[in-house]
């Protein structure tokens, strides 16, 4: 994993944060003492960049992008899902407005994901959109009352789409 920050990268930005992760996972399913039933492999890269903007009046927040690439493979007699590749792009924003004891928050994320399996001749794309709204009132020191509403979507994983055949 790696991460970093860049302070004041542009005129209207306070800072940018970068995070990157790499995963190389393997495990074996053993049956009957020493018989290999299946081997699960997952290799992935994930990166995220957050841009924190200068205040716009009383509004503070960030926006950014997230990327994921994952190769997944199960082999052996008990393989339940064919090899697949997943790629995902997400764009998001989180904003906050505060005035006296009142605070309002808004968040949104748009995501595009594709899942491919050459073995199954499978290629599907998904779009998802999530948002949240919140409001709070601080009526005493260390006391707050609030309300929020959200709607969340998540594209299906390769395992959900391809386990025991494409569907």
């Amino acid at each position: 994993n790696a991460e970093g920050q860049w302070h004041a990268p542009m005129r209207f930005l306070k800072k940018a944060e970068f995070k990157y992760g790499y995963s190389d996972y393997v495990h074996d399913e053993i049956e009957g003492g020493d018989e290999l039933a299946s081997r699960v492999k997952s290799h992935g890269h994930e990166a995220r960049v957050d841009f924190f903007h200068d205040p716009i009046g009383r509004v503070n927040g960030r926006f950014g992008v997230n990327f994921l690439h994952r190769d997944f493979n199960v082999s052996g007699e008990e393989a339940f899902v064919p090899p697949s590749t997943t790629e995902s792009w997400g764009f998001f924003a989180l904003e906050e407005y505060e005035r006296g004891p009142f605070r309002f928050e808004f968040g949104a994320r748009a995501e595009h994901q594709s899942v491919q399996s050459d073995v199954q001749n499978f290629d599907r794309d998904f779009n998802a959109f999530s948002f949240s709204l919140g409001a709070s009132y601080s009526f005493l020191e260390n006391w707050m009352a609030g309300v929020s509403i959200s709607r969340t979507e998540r594209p299906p994983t390769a395992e959900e789409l391809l386990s025991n055949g494409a569907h």
Side-chain angles (χ1 to χ4, degrees):
N1 291 340
E3 60 183 69
Q5 290 185 1
W6 185 11
H7 291 273
M10 292 182 191
R11 196 177 69 176
F12 63 93
L13 295 176
K14 289 192 284 191
K15 70 176 177 176
E17 291 181 348
F18 171 78
K19 295 178 183 174
Y20 169 80
Y22 172 73
S23 171
D24 187 4
Y25 175 81
V26 177
H27 86 257
D28 294 333
E29 296 287 332
I30 307 295
E31 285 192 6
D34 62 352
E35 184 179 328
L36 179 64
S38 62
R39 173 168 285 159
V40 178
K41 295 181 183 180
S42 179
H43 304 280
H45 302 268
E46 185 167 5
R48 175 177 167 141
V49 181
D50 289 48
F51 298 99
F52 295 78
H53 65 76
D54 287 337
I56 302 168
R58 294 179 182 260
V59 177
N60 282 294
R62 69 173 85 175
F63 58 94
V65 61
N66 193 137
F67 172 75
L68 168 80
H69 175 94
R70 178 176 174 241
D71 293 316
F72 185 74
N73 186 8
V74 180
S75 59
E77 286 185 32
E78 294 186 5
F80 62 95
V81 61
S84 64
T85 298
T86 301
E87 285 196 353
S88 174
W89 283 92
F91 300 94
F92 60 89
L94 303 162
E95 298 295 331
E96 177 182 293
Y97 173 84
E98 193 167 350
R99 183 162 189 156
F102 295 97
R103 172 185 260 169
F104 301 93
E105 297 174 346
F106 168 77
R109 177 180 172 88
E111 182 174 357
H112 176 79
Q113 178 173 292
S114 70
V115 177
Q116 300 168 338
S117 174
D118 293 338
V119 172
Q120 292 284 326
N121 194 25
F122 184 89
D123 188 353
R124 298 262 316 261
D125 292 327
F126 299 91
N127 294 309
F129 181 74
S130 301
F131 77 89
S132 65
L133 296 170
S136 62
Y137 176 73
S138 296
F139 55 91
L140 293 173
E141 187 175 339
N142 298 321
W143 285 85
M144 173 192 71
V147 62
S148 65
I149 185 170
S150 64
R151 177 185 185 277
T152 304
E153 289 184 329
R154 176 187 65 82
T157 65
E159 297 87 336
E160 292 169 331
L161 292 167
L162 297 166
S163 292
N164 298 317
H167 46 278

